[in-house]
Amino acid sequence: MKTIHSKYIIVGAGLSGLTTAYALIENGEKDFIILEARDRIGGRIHTKNGIDLGATWFQDHHTNLSKLLDDLSINKFEQYSKGKSVLVYNTMAPAHYFENQHNGPSAYRIADGSIAIINKLASVLVDKIHLNSIVTNIVEGQDTLTLATENKTYSAEKVIITIPPKLASGIDFSPKLPENLLQTMKSTHTWMSNAIKVGILFDQPFWKEKDFSGTVIGQVGPVIELYDHCNYQENIFALMGFVNEGLRDTKAEIRKERILSYLGKYLGEEVKNYAAYFEKDWSKDRQTSCENLKSVYMSPQYGHEVFRQWHYNGKLLFSGTETSPVYGGYLDGAVHSGLNAAKKLLNKELV
């Protein structure tokens, strides 16, 4: 089997990996390839029919992401929150209706969906992304690392692994990684891995017409969070949110019926006149989650110092949002780690 050689290899074509690749291109480095396990790019950014079923929001303090959006000439817009919002805190008590104080935007979304940043980053990476390439083995040689996928072999002087550390711990490394690194990888929670998201398209934004914000916060019930998800151009009308994990093993049709009935109770029966309905259970995505799934309801600790070090004698580095000491678990953390990896590869400040 012929080995494909490149100076650098990036494992993962999510936001972190593509940010690294984009920064390399911007700094004149073109000798690299990206290996992506999925049949698509984007990782945990996944926009379907205008609905972000993966990463969605960011805020003013997420400056790494904001700067990258500016550099790419991608617009942002405020999360809609005008009108009455609903808090359901007890099945035996009536819902609490409230209005947000508009002292500033609570969050932003990316115009044309989160996938817009992925598509723009990838537009300069012609022929550098190899899809359906699951890395199974990494072997250290004297001057290179050799990576094996199901049907191809690659080698590189340096490798950046951007997939979640817990998933990366399943790669067969030779020689074995240091035990403290391996245990840290296994114990690092994968952001989004336990989330179930729902998106519902409508012909008209009936909730706005009824002076609802589209926000429903449920401490009980089948939906724990719901928000307006109309697009930047205001020609796609949608609601999107998170489903109670207790419904994970419920049959899809029954889960859907419960969700629509619940939302109909608080937003109006118009919710049942939907144009399209989507769900994404990230726990069933084998390139995000794994079998020993553990739900985490408090913010997990990210950015462990072991991920800041080179391994295999300066040939292997871990990146990705879980490795970032700056806003780990957010889009901003993915961008920060991606830029940091490029800086370490080039051994200089980025242009």
Side-chain angles (χ1 to χ4, degrees):
M1 184 184 298
K2 181 181 178 181
T3 297
I4 301 169
H5 181 77
S6 184
K7 186 177 181 181
Y8 305 132
I9 289 179
I10 300 167
V11 179
L15 181 55
S16 178
L18 294 181
T19 298
T20 297
Y22 175 80
L24 291 178
I25 290 283
E26 288 290 288
N27 284 269
E29 179 59 70
K30 299 180 180 180
D31 190 1
F32 66 88
I33 57 176
I34 304 171
L35 302 180
E36 168 55 49
R38 294 180 170 91
D39 60 1
R40 63 171 180 85
I41 59 175
R44 287 166 281 180
I45 290 178
H46 183 41
T47 305
K48 183 173 183 178
N49 292 74
I51 297 179
D52 288 317
L53 295 173
T56 306
W57 298 279
F58 64 102
Q59 296 174 305
D60 281 323
H61 52 272
H62 293 151
T63 55
N64 294 286
L65 176 63
S66 294
K67 184 179 184 305
L68 183 58
L69 290 173
D70 288 343
D71 291 346
L72 297 172
S73 299
I74 296 175
N75 291 323
K76 66 181 181 182
F77 67 110
E78 293 183 21
Q79 169 65 44
Y80 184 83
S81 60
K82 296 178 182 177
K84 294 177 292 185
S85 298
V86 187
L87 172 62
V88 184
Y89 57 90
N90 189 324
T91 55
M92 304 302 291
H96 174 66
Y97 294 87
F98 65 96
E99 294 201 23
N100 290 318
Q101 299 297 318
H102 292 282
N103 299 322
S106 58
Y108 295 99
R109 288 166 49 202
I110 297 172
D112 299 314
S114 299
I115 197 65
I117 191 172
I118 295 298
N119 291 337
K120 198 66 173 287
L121 289 169
S123 65
V124 298
L125 303 175
V126 180
D127 298 328
K128 292 192 174 295
I129 302 173
H130 297 209
L131 298 176
N132 300 302
S133 300
I134 300 175
V135 175
T136 56
N137 303 78
I138 297 180
V139 178
E140 183 188 17
Q142 183 173 349
D143 300 312
T144 62
L145 294 180
T146 300
L147 296 79
T149 65
E150 184 176 325
N151 50 23
K152 291 183 180 178
T153 304
Y154 301 83
S155 70
E157 296 173 20
K158 295 182 185 294
V159 172
I160 307 295
I161 295 181
T162 74
I163 65 175
K166 183 174 282 191
L167 283 184
S169 71
I171 297 173
D172 184 9
F173 290 91
S174 180
K176 290 187 179 297
L177 295 174
E179 189 61 26
N180 67 319
L181 170 60
L182 193 57
Q183 289 307 314
T184 300
M185 292 166 66
K186 290 180 178 179
S187 63
T188 298
H189 174 71
T190 301
W191 169 76
M192 285 292 291
S193 63
N194 54 297
I196 310 172
K197 294 192 78 173
V198 60
I200 314 172
L201 284 170
F202 299 91
D203 292 329
Q204 295 295 328
F206 71 87
W207 55 97
K208 291 184 179 181
E209 297 165 2
K210 298 171 70 172
D211 194 31
F212 281 110
S213 67
T215 299
V216 179
I217 306 298
Q219 296 181 350
V220 294
V223 178
I224 57 175
E225 294 179 42
L226 188 83
Y227 303 97
D228 175 279
H229 203 67
C230 297
N231 67 340
Y232 179 63
Q233 294 86 353
E234 295 191 1
N235 57 15
I236 295 177
F237 311 115
L239 296 168
M240 181 274 286
F242 295 87
V243 177
N244 189 322
E245 287 186 59
L247 292 179
R248 171 164 284 124
D249 296 326
T250 302
K251 289 184 178 180
E253 282 303 312
I254 295 175
R255 182 171 58 243
K256 176 180 175 181
E257 181 182 339
R258 289 183 183 177
I259 288 170
L260 293 173
S261 295
Y262 177 81
L263 296 179
K265 180 178 180 180
Y266 299 108
L267 295 180
E269 290 300 305
E270 298 95 329
V271 75
K272 296 179 181 179
N273 299 322
Y274 61 89
Y277 179 98
F278 307 102
E279 288 183 11
K280 172 66 174 177
D281 186 347
W282 287 94
S283 75
K284 300 187 186 311
D285 187 322
R286 289 279 73 91
Q287 304 309 323
T288 295
S289 194
C290 49
E291 291 184 3
N292 59 336
L293 178 70
K294 181 179 180 181
S295 299
V296 174
Y297 299 101
M298 301 296 288
S299 296
Q301 294 297 311
Y302 290 133
H304 195 285
E305 62 181 11
V306 74
F307 296 130
R308 303 174 208 172
Q309 307 162 15
W310 283 98
H311 302 278
Y312 280 165
N313 300 299
K315 295 190 283 288
L316 177 68
L317 184 68
F318 291 91
S319 185
T321 191
E322 287 89 358
T323 72
S324 176
V326 176
Y327 299 118
Y330 291 88
L331 290 166
D332 196 71
V335 174
H336 178 273
S337 68
L339 294 174
N340 186 56
K343 187 185 299 183
K344 288 187 174 183
L345 284 175
L346 298 168
N347 196 26
K348 65 177 183 180
E349 292 298 316
L350 300 179
V351 172

mmCIF file of all heavy atoms in Angstrom, residues 198-231:
data_model
loop_
_atom_site.group_PDB
_atom_site.id
_atom_site.type_symbol
_atom_site.label_atom_id
_atom_site.label_comp_id
_atom_site.label_asym_id
_atom_site.label_seq_id
_atom_site.Cartn_x
_atom_site.Cartn_y
_atom_site.Cartn_z
ATOM 1 N N VAL A 198 -33.696 19.670 18.713
ATOM 2 C CA VAL A 198 -34.880 19.599 17.869
ATOM 3 C C VAL A 198 -35.018 20.914 17.107
ATOM 4 O O VAL A 198 -34.745 21.986 17.646
ATOM 5 C CB VAL A 198 -36.153 19.322 18.708
ATOM 6 C CG1 VAL A 198 -36.397 20.420 19.738
ATOM 7 C CG2 VAL A 198 -37.371 19.140 17.818
ATOM 8 N N GLY A 199 -35.393 20.822 15.843
ATOM 9 C CA GLY A 199 -35.651 21.998 15.026
ATOM 10 C C GLY A 199 -36.960 21.823 14.288
ATOM 11 O O GLY A 199 -37.241 20.756 13.740
ATOM 12 N N ILE A 200 -37.775 22.888 14.293
ATOM 13 C CA ILE A 200 -39.103 22.800 13.673
ATOM 14 C C ILE A 200 -39.287 23.997 12.752
ATOM 15 O O ILE A 200 -39.161 25.153 13.184
ATOM 16 C CB ILE A 200 -40.224 22.779 14.734
ATOM 17 C CG1 ILE A 200 -39.886 21.798 15.871
ATOM 18 C CG2 ILE A 200 -41.550 22.398 14.094
ATOM 19 C CD1 ILE A 200 -40.853 21.864 17.039
ATOM 20 N N LEU A 201 -39.574 23.729 11.491
ATOM 21 C CA LEU A 201 -39.802 24.774 10.497
ATOM 22 C C LEU A 201 -41.294 25.068 10.345
ATOM 23 O O LEU A 201 -42.131 24.152 10.433
ATOM 24 C CB LEU A 201 -39.245 24.345 9.137
ATOM 25 C CG LEU A 201 -37.724 24.401 8.951
ATOM 26 C CD1 LEU A 201 -37.337 23.723 7.647
ATOM 27 C CD2 LEU A 201 -37.228 25.836 8.969
ATOM 28 N N PHE A 202 -41.607 26.342 10.090
ATOM 29 C CA PHE A 202 -42.995 26.766 9.912
ATOM 30 C C PHE A 202 -43.099 27.683 8.695
ATOM 31 O O PHE A 202 -42.113 28.273 8.257
ATOM 32 C CB PHE A 202 -43.487 27.520 11.161
ATOM 33 C CG PHE A 202 -43.454 26.694 12.419
ATOM 34 C CD1 PHE A 202 -42.327 26.689 13.234
ATOM 35 C CD2 PHE A 202 -44.541 25.922 12.784
ATOM 36 C CE1 PHE A 202 -42.282 25.925 14.391
ATOM 37 C CE2 PHE A 202 -44.512 25.160 13.945
ATOM 38 C CZ PHE A 202 -43.374 25.148 14.744
ATOM 39 N N ASP A 203 -44.317 27.827 8.185
ATOM 40 C CA ASP A 203 -44.544 28.744 7.067
ATOM 41 C C ASP A 203 -44.566 30.188 7.533
ATOM 42 O O ASP A 203 -44.226 31.103 6.768
ATOM 43 C CB ASP A 203 -45.872 28.406 6.370
ATOM 44 C CG ASP A 203 -45.814 27.060 5.660
ATOM 45 O OD1 ASP A 203 -44.719 26.676 5.196
ATOM 46 O OD2 ASP A 203 -46.866 26.380 5.591
ATOM 47 N N GLN A 204 -44.967 30.402 8.791
ATOM 48 C CA GLN A 204 -45.000 31.744 9.368
ATOM 49 C C GLN A 204 -44.556 31.667 10.830
ATOM 50 O O GLN A 204 -44.774 30.644 11.493
ATOM 51 C CB GLN A 204 -46.407 32.337 9.297
ATOM 52 C CG GLN A 204 -46.912 32.592 7.882
ATOM 53 C CD GLN A 204 -46.109 33.660 7.166
ATOM 54 O OE1 GLN A 204 -45.604 34.604 7.775
ATOM 55 N NE2 GLN A 204 -45.991 33.504 5.836
ATOM 56 N N PRO A 205 -43.954 32.742 11.375
ATOM 57 C CA PRO A 205 -43.527 32.730 12.780
ATOM 58 C C PRO A 205 -44.701 33.078 13.701
ATOM 59 O O PRO A 205 -44.804 34.185 14.236
ATOM 60 C CB PRO A 205 -42.444 33.816 12.811
ATOM 61 C CG PRO A 205 -42.870 34.798 11.773
ATOM 62 C CD PRO A 205 -43.535 33.988 10.685
ATOM 63 N N PHE A 206 -45.586 32.120 13.911
ATOM 64 C CA PHE A 206 -46.832 32.379 14.638
ATOM 65 C C PHE A 206 -46.575 32.913 16.041
ATOM 66 O O PHE A 206 -47.388 33.682 16.576
ATOM 67 C CB PHE A 206 -47.682 31.104 14.684
ATOM 68 C CG PHE A 206 -47.128 30.030 15.589
ATOM 69 C CD1 PHE A 206 -47.438 30.006 16.944
ATOM 70 C CD2 PHE A 206 -46.286 29.049 15.079
ATOM 71 C CE1 PHE A 206 -46.924 29.017 17.772
ATOM 72 C CE2 PHE A 206 -45.766 28.061 15.909
ATOM 73 C CZ PHE A 206 -46.078 28.042 17.257
ATOM 74 N N TRP A 207 -45.477 32.517 16.662
ATOM 75 C CA TRP A 207 -45.169 32.955 18.028
ATOM 76 C C TRP A 207 -44.918 34.463 18.073
ATOM 77 O O TRP A 207 -45.323 35.138 19.028
ATOM 78 C CB TRP A 207 -43.985 32.178 18.603
ATOM 79 C CG TRP A 207 -42.731 32.225 17.774
ATOM 80 C CD1 TRP A 207 -41.657 33.050 17.946
ATOM 81 C CD2 TRP A 207 -42.436 31.419 16.635
ATOM 82 N NE1 TRP A 207 -40.711 32.811 16.982
ATOM 83 C CE2 TRP A 207 -41.159 31.814 16.169
ATOM 84 C CE3 TRP A 207 -43.113 30.398 15.967
ATOM 85 C CZ2 TRP A 207 -40.547 31.224 15.062
ATOM 86 C CZ3 TRP A 207 -42.503 29.812 14.863
ATOM 87 C CH2 TRP A 207 -41.240 30.228 14.413
ATOM 88 N N LYS A 208 -44.247 34.998 17.071
ATOM 89 C CA LYS A 208 -44.012 36.446 17.031
ATOM 90 C C LYS A 208 -45.328 37.196 16.875
ATOM 91 O O LYS A 208 -45.538 38.264 17.475
ATOM 92 C CB LYS A 208 -43.071 36.802 15.881
ATOM 93 C CG LYS A 208 -41.640 36.324 16.069
ATOM 94 C CD LYS A 208 -40.755 36.799 14.928
ATOM 95 C CE LYS A 208 -39.321 36.351 15.114
ATOM 96 N NZ LYS A 208 -38.430 36.828 14.020
ATOM 97 N N GLU A 209 -46.215 36.642 16.068
ATOM 98 C CA GLU A 209 -47.521 37.271 15.858
ATOM 99 C C GLU A 209 -48.339 37.290 17.137
ATOM 100 O O GLU A 209 -49.244 38.126 17.293
ATOM 101 C CB GLU A 209 -48.262 36.540 14.743
ATOM 102 C CG GLU A 209 -47.555 36.629 13.387
ATOM 103 C CD GLU A 209 -48.068 35.620 12.372
ATOM 104 O OE1 GLU A 209 -49.004 34.865 12.712
ATOM 105 O OE2 GLU A 209 -47.517 35.569 11.253
ATOM 106 N N LYS A 210 -48.015 36.391 18.076
ATOM 107 C CA LYS A 210 -48.719 36.322 19.361
ATOM 108 C C LYS A 210 -47.910 36.986 20.474
ATOM 109 O O LYS A 210 -48.218 36.831 21.645
ATOM 110 C CB LYS A 210 -48.988 34.853 19.712
ATOM 111 C CG LYS A 210 -49.889 34.148 18.695
ATOM 112 C CD LYS A 210 -49.963 32.664 18.944
ATOM 113 C CE LYS A 210 -50.733 32.336 20.205
ATOM 114 N NZ LYS A 210 -50.962 30.874 20.340
ATOM 115 N N ASP A 211 -46.858 37.719 20.077
ATOM 116 C CA ASP A 211 -45.982 38.429 21.016
ATOM 117 C C ASP A 211 -45.257 37.476 21.964
ATOM 118 O O ASP A 211 -45.046 37.773 23.132
ATOM 119 C CB ASP A 211 -46.758 39.475 21.829
ATOM 120 C CG ASP A 211 -45.818 40.451 22.551
ATOM 121 O OD1 ASP A 211 -44.726 40.722 22.015
ATOM 122 O OD2 ASP A 211 -46.177 40.913 23.644
ATOM 123 N N PHE A 212 -44.853 36.311 21.438
ATOM 124 C CA PHE A 212 -43.967 35.401 22.164
ATOM 125 C C PHE A 212 -42.555 35.526 21.583
ATOM 126 O O PHE A 212 -42.381 35.743 20.379
ATOM 127 C CB PHE A 212 -44.422 33.949 22.020
ATOM 128 C CG PHE A 212 -45.566 33.570 22.908
ATOM 129 C CD1 PHE A 212 -46.826 33.311 22.374
ATOM 130 C CD2 PHE A 212 -45.397 33.460 24.280
ATOM 131 C CE1 PHE A 212 -47.883 32.959 23.187
ATOM 132 C CE2 PHE A 212 -46.452 33.105 25.111
ATOM 133 C CZ PHE A 212 -47.703 32.854 24.560
ATOM 134 N N SER A 213 -41.570 35.368 22.441
ATOM 135 C CA SER A 213 -40.175 35.408 21.978
ATOM 136 C C SER A 213 -39.763 34.103 21.317
ATOM 137 O O SER A 213 -38.781 34.062 20.573
ATOM 138 C CB SER A 213 -39.243 35.679 23.164
ATOM 139 O OG SER A 213 -39.260 34.574 24.067
ATOM 140 N N GLY A 214 -40.501 33.045 21.609
ATOM 141 C CA GLY A 214 -40.106 31.716 21.156
ATOM 142 C C GLY A 214 -39.278 30.978 22.188
ATOM 143 O O GLY A 214 -38.942 29.809 22.015
ATOM 144 N N THR A 215 -38.950 31.646 23.294
ATOM 145 C CA THR A 215 -38.147 31.048 24.358
ATOM 146 C C THR A 215 -39.035 30.292 25.335
ATOM 147 O O THR A 215 -39.997 30.849 25.880
ATOM 148 C CB THR A 215 -37.356 32.119 25.123
ATOM 149 O OG1 THR A 215 -36.473 32.780 24.217
ATOM 150 C CG2 THR A 215 -36.548 31.494 26.256
ATOM 151 N N VAL A 216 -38.720 29.022 25.535
ATOM 152 C CA VAL A 216 -39.370 28.197 26.547
ATOM 153 C C VAL A 216 -38.276 27.517 27.348
ATOM 154 O O VAL A 216 -37.435 26.810 26.779
ATOM 155 C CB VAL A 216 -40.299 27.129 25.922
ATOM 156 C CG1 VAL A 216 -40.928 26.271 27.022
ATOM 157 C CG2 VAL A 216 -41.371 27.772 25.067
ATOM 158 N N ILE A 217 -38.256 27.749 28.648
ATOM 159 C CA ILE A 217 -37.302 27.088 29.539
ATOM 160 C C ILE A 217 -38.078 26.104 30.400
ATOM 161 O O ILE A 217 -38.966 26.495 31.165
ATOM 162 C CB ILE A 217 -36.569 28.107 30.442
ATOM 163 C CG1 ILE A 217 -35.910 29.199 29.599
ATOM 164 C CG2 ILE A 217 -35.543 27.389 31.316
ATOM 165 C CD1 ILE A 217 -34.852 28.705 28.646
ATOM 166 N N GLY A 218 -37.776 24.821 30.259
ATOM 167 C CA GLY A 218 -38.536 23.797 30.959
ATOM 168 C C GLY A 218 -37.699 23.050 31.976
ATOM 169 O O GLY A 218 -36.797 22.302 31.601
ATOM 170 N N GLN A 219 -37.972 23.265 33.233
ATOM 171 C CA GLN A 219 -37.304 22.486 34.272
ATOM 172 C C GLN A 219 -37.940 21.106 34.407
ATOM 173 O O GLN A 219 -37.367 20.207 35.014
ATOM 174 C CB GLN A 219 -37.352 23.251 35.604
ATOM 175 C CG GLN A 219 -36.581 24.559 35.550
ATOM 176 C CD GLN A 219 -36.608 25.319 36.860
ATOM 177 O OE1 GLN A 219 -37.351 24.967 37.780
ATOM 178 N NE2 GLN A 219 -35.824 26.374 36.956
ATOM 179 N N VAL A 220 -39.109 20.968 33.844
ATOM 180 C CA VAL A 220 -39.784 19.671 33.730
ATOM 181 C C VAL A 220 -40.346 19.590 32.322
ATOM 182 O O VAL A 220 -40.553 20.595 31.662
ATOM 183 C CB VAL A 220 -40.915 19.521 34.766
ATOM 184 C CG1 VAL A 220 -40.362 19.481 36.180
ATOM 185 C CG2 VAL A 220 -41.920 20.664 34.621
ATOM 186 N N GLY A 221 -40.590 18.386 31.841
ATOM 187 C CA GLY A 221 -41.188 18.242 30.524
ATOM 188 C C GLY A 221 -40.198 17.794 29.466
ATOM 189 O O GLY A 221 -38.997 17.658 29.723
ATOM 190 N N PRO A 222 -40.677 17.560 28.243
ATOM 191 C CA PRO A 222 -39.845 16.975 27.185
ATOM 192 C C PRO A 222 -38.852 17.946 26.541
ATOM 193 O O PRO A 222 -37.922 17.505 25.879
ATOM 194 C CB PRO A 222 -40.865 16.500 26.153
ATOM 195 C CG PRO A 222 -42.050 17.375 26.374
ATOM 196 C CD PRO A 222 -42.089 17.661 27.842
ATOM 197 N N VAL A 223 -39.033 19.247 26.708
ATOM 198 C CA VAL A 223 -38.114 20.232 26.136
ATOM 199 C C VAL A 223 -37.526 21.061 27.270
ATOM 200 O O VAL A 223 -38.261 21.651 28.066
ATOM 201 C CB VAL A 223 -38.832 21.159 25.132
ATOM 202 C CG1 VAL A 223 -37.873 22.214 24.594
ATOM 203 C CG2 VAL A 223 -39.410 20.342 23.980
ATOM 204 N N ILE A 224 -36.208 21.121 27.361
ATOM 205 C CA ILE A 224 -35.582 21.872 28.450
ATOM 206 C C ILE A 224 -35.232 23.301 28.043
ATOM 207 O O ILE A 224 -35.180 24.188 28.887
ATOM 208 C CB ILE A 224 -34.324 21.150 28.985
ATOM 209 C CG1 ILE A 224 -33.314 20.899 27.871
ATOM 210 C CG2 ILE A 224 -34.715 19.835 29.658
ATOM 211 C CD1 ILE A 224 -32.004 20.289 28.370
ATOM 212 N N GLU A 225 -35.019 23.530 26.732
ATOM 213 C CA GLU A 225 -34.779 24.877 26.230
ATOM 214 C C GLU A 225 -35.295 24.958 24.800
ATOM 215 O O GLU A 225 -35.093 24.032 24.018
ATOM 216 C CB GLU A 225 -33.284 25.237 26.219
ATOM 217 C CG GLU A 225 -32.625 25.335 27.573
ATOM 218 C CD GLU A 225 -31.146 25.678 27.443
ATOM 219 O OE1 GLU A 225 -30.798 26.546 26.609
ATOM 220 O OE2 GLU A 225 -30.337 25.069 28.166
ATOM 221 N N LEU A 226 -35.916 26.077 24.470
ATOM 222 C CA LEU A 226 -36.368 26.317 23.099
ATOM 223 C C LEU A 226 -36.186 27.796 22.784
ATOM 224 O O LEU A 226 -36.378 28.647 23.666
ATOM 225 C CB LEU A 226 -37.847 25.943 22.937
ATOM 226 C CG LEU A 226 -38.354 25.966 21.501
ATOM 227 C CD1 LEU A 226 -38.010 24.648 20.800
ATOM 228 C CD2 LEU A 226 -39.868 26.210 21.452
ATOM 229 N N TYR A 227 -35.822 28.111 21.533
ATOM 230 C CA TYR A 227 -35.585 29.498 21.147
ATOM 231 C C TYR A 227 -36.073 29.748 19.723
ATOM 232 O O TYR A 227 -36.153 28.827 18.899
ATOM 233 C CB TYR A 227 -34.085 29.830 21.220
ATOM 234 C CG TYR A 227 -33.485 29.598 22.573
ATOM 235 C CD1 TYR A 227 -32.800 28.415 22.853
ATOM 236 C CD2 TYR A 227 -33.628 30.537 23.589
ATOM 237 C CE1 TYR A 227 -32.257 28.185 24.107
ATOM 238 C CE2 TYR A 227 -33.090 30.316 24.848
ATOM 239 C CZ TYR A 227 -32.401 29.140 25.104
ATOM 240 O OH TYR A 227 -31.879 28.911 26.349
ATOM 241 N N ASP A 228 -36.360 31.013 19.447
ATOM 242 C CA ASP A 228 -36.619 31.426 18.071
ATOM 243 C C ASP A 228 -35.382 31.114 17.233
ATOM 244 O O ASP A 228 -34.245 31.345 17.659
ATOM 245 C CB ASP A 228 -36.887 32.938 18.043
ATOM 246 C CG ASP A 228 -37.058 33.474 16.642
ATOM 247 O OD1 ASP A 228 -36.028 33.715 15.962
ATOM 248 O OD2 ASP A 228 -38.205 33.666 16.219
ATOM 249 N N HIS A 229 -35.615 30.584 16.030
ATOM 250 C CA HIS A 229 -34.488 30.247 15.162
ATOM 251 C C HIS A 229 -34.747 30.708 13.721
ATOM 252 O O HIS A 229 -34.320 30.062 12.761
ATOM 253 C CB HIS A 229 -34.213 28.742 15.204
ATOM 254 C CG HIS A 229 -32.809 28.376 14.820
ATOM 255 N ND1 HIS A 229 -31.712 28.709 15.578
ATOM 256 C CD2 HIS A 229 -32.318 27.712 13.748
ATOM 257 C CE1 HIS A 229 -30.612 28.255 15.008
ATOM 258 N NE2 HIS A 229 -30.956 27.661 13.867
ATOM 259 N N CYS A 230 -35.446 31.836 13.592
ATOM 260 C CA CYS A 230 -35.625 32.417 12.264
ATOM 261 C C CYS A 230 -34.270 32.903 11.759
ATOM 262 O O CYS A 230 -33.389 33.263 12.544
ATOM 263 C CB CYS A 230 -36.617 33.574 12.318
ATOM 264 S SG CYS A 230 -38.285 33.071 12.820
ATOM 265 N N ASN A 231 -34.103 32.916 10.453
ATOM 266 C CA ASN A 231 -32.782 33.220 9.913
ATOM 267 C C ASN A 231 -32.539 34.722 9.786
ATOM 268 O O ASN A 231 -33.425 35.549 10.040
ATOM 269 C CB ASN A 231 -32.584 32.518 8.562
ATOM 270 C CG ASN A 231 -33.492 33.061 7.473
ATOM 271 O OD1 ASN A 231 -34.512 33.693 7.757
ATOM 272 N ND2 ASN A 231 -33.135 32.826 6.213
#
